[in-house]
Amino acid sequence: MTRPDDALSTLRVALGERSYPIHIGPGLLGDPRWLTPHLAGRQVMVVTNETVAPLYLSRLRQGLGDGLEVRELVLPDGEATKTLASVERIWDALLEAGFNRRCTLVALGGGVIGDMVGFAAACYQRGVAFVQVPTTLLSQVDSSVGGKTGVNHPRGKNMIGAFWQPRAVLIDTETLTTLPSRELSAGLAEVIKYGLIRDAGFLGWLEAHMAELRGLEAAALTRAIERSCSLKAEIVAEDETEQGVRALLNLGHTFGHAIETHQGYGRWLHGEAVGTGMLMAAELSQRLGWLDGADVARTRAILAAADLPLAAPADMTPEDFLAIMRLDKKNLDDRLRLILLTRLGEACVHDRTPPECLTSLLEAFPRR
Ligand code: NAD
Ligand code: GLY
């Protein structure tokens, strides 16, 4: 597919010699100019899933051009497959193909595929190249950028993993045209997150353009993706391994991961759980006196406009939440560390929430 070059934008994740580009534009999946410069050698393994393969695998193969040794691995779909067993299938396929240290893995799909392929690349022969080709809004604005890779454990989300940066992130915005609307909403949760934690102006822009975003209007989607990726690139460049500011990207995630873990992976979409978790974080911030009622009402309204759930699962008690939240990776020295909002557009890491304040939020928060 051809495309005018001015429809493409490129951002950069600045990490010294491991810096990489994020190319964003319509139709770049099928164009060899974007993928081939980032291959480490001739051996390429494209990993995708059974939903994405029929939609985009042949277009991606076109984008690889000729003269390469290309293998494909199509995994089952779903968050429940984000396991070490699936990663082993990737390693098995690489070994069976006789792939060496100069091979490149290409992750074609949403965040589940991207996280697993990145982790497989981090460990295969102590680390090989990989390229992210994210095809969901959530993976385009968040998971494909920044090098967090890994799998779930039955006791907790993303508990096994590594930091391993891709060689490039290729975001073909046209792939969003086939995305189910529930998945689009889940991605919008992470987009809204950037506004809430770091950019009040962007939050206002999202409020004004939510209908266009939900209607898959290309210009609005591209702008939302660019702003989200640019904020994420800035944060990752500042704090690659989450010693400080990167933790703010976890707004809503401590509550959200508890929902996903309790409900069984896949029943709630990750973005849905994060959306509800962000409302819980906003309400807790209000209880601490940082946000006022109007701020929380705005947060609830934008999540509602994105068609995200505003209530926690009916069968989750405060004790259920607390038991899982205690295992969160951000916690240190037995202290629960939560990302809260000091105002709309500004967040902080807080480890002094009075336990009774948290418990009363967990008791009062609506269930459905
Ligand atoms: P996903 O990968 O499960 O994709 C959602 C669904 O959409 C799947 O059924 C998938 O097959 C399908 N799909 C993908 N692209 C499509 C397309 N273009 N058209 C139609 N269907 C398509 O979920 P996700 O929301 O992309 O990612 C969630 C995962 O990302 C979670 O595991 C979460 O923990 C992880 N995550 C990681 C990071 C990180 O920094 N690494 C950040 C956020 C989330
Ligand atoms: N999604 C959180 C992070 O990348 O740090």
Side-chain angles (χ1 to χ4, degrees), residues 48-53 55-56 76-82 108-115 132-150 152 157-158 172 174-180 183 186-187 190 193-194 232 246 249-250 253 257 260 269-271 274:
T48 186
N49 73 26
E50 55 203 14
T51 304
V52 177
L55 295 170
Y56 298 113
D77 192 0
E79 184 72 39
T81 70
K82 193 173 140 181
L108 173 68
V112 167
I113 284 290
D115 282 11
Q132 289 272 19
V133 186
T135 59
T136 61
L137 180 61
L138 185 141
S139 56
Q140 295 181 350
V141 298
D142 192 354
S143 62
S144 63
V145 176
K148 277 191 184 176
T149 72
N152 299 326
K157 271 282 291 178
N158 299 333
D172 184 338
E174 275 177 2
T175 58
L176 298 180
T177 54
T178 55
L179 197 65
E183 299 291 350
E190 302 279 13
K193 173 186 81 179
Y194 293 108
K232 179 135 191 196
R246 186 163 181 174
L249 291 169
N250 292 307
H253 285 57
H257 283 170
E260 288 184 272
L269 301 182
H270 174 72
V274 166

Side-chain angles (χ1 to χ4, degrees), residues 279 282-283 285-287 289-301 344:
L279 184 57
E283 291 199 7
S285 306
Q286 183 185 13
R287 283 167 187 265
W290 299 344
L291 294 190
D292 61 23
D295 293 330
V296 175
R298 259 183 88 185
T299 307
R300 187 178 295 109
L344 296 187

